[in-house]
Amino acid sequence: MTLEAGICPNGHVTYPTHPRCPECGEPQAETTDLSEERAEVVTWTTSTATPPGVREPNTMAIVEFDVSHLDLEDTFVRALGQVTTDDVETGDVVEPVYVEELRDPDVGLKSANPESQDWGGYRWDPV
């Protein structure tokens, strides 16, 4: 499973991908996979009042991937996601890890047809 960030012809990188670049409006015709990259925690929070089916407490972090090796206009791209642990600090280095279920498919509004949903995704794991 990939963790794709979109790239427009002007070298702007965004996660998640968009049909058109939020920065300049050009189509995002290319992507880069961030699933094998490491990132740095920019900020984080822990929620104790989570939506149905989401673990409680749920620690979330905004992380920043260094994409300077792609030689583009943007050198960093940020992403929001769950953290694998409650023990995280700003500045920590994390890597994405794929999990089959970010939330319980049997709970919540979409639970009537769980096979029609994609429940998997990435969490940030401190290294």
Side-chain angles (χ1 to χ4, degrees), residues 15-105:
Y15 176 82
T17 60
H18 301 275
R20 295 203 167 265
C21 176
E23 182 81 16
C24 66
E26 292 292 325
Q28 287 190 328
E30 293 183 54
T31 61
T32 186
D33 183 8
L34 302 173
S35 66
E36 299 295 321
E37 303 287 333
R38 289 186 172 183
E40 183 177 320
V41 174
V42 175
T43 189
W44 61 274
T45 189
T46 299
S47 174
T48 56
T50 62
V54 175
R55 67 186 180 170
E56 187 179 323
N58 187 32
T59 300
M60 305 280 292
I62 296 175
V63 301
E64 191 170 67
F65 290 90
D66 181 348
V67 292
S68 60
H69 63 281
L70 299 174
D71 198 30
L72 301 168
E73 177 73 19
D74 290 342
T75 55
F76 295 97
V77 62
R78 289 183 175 182
L80 170 68
Q82 296 178 350
V83 184
T84 59
T85 177
D86 294 333
D87 187 22
V88 66
E89 296 293 333
T90 300
D92 284 354
V93 175
V94 296
E95 58 189 9
V97 292
Y98 184 78
V99 294
E100 292 292 324
E101 293 179 352
L102 289 174
R103 61 184 299 160
D104 184 348

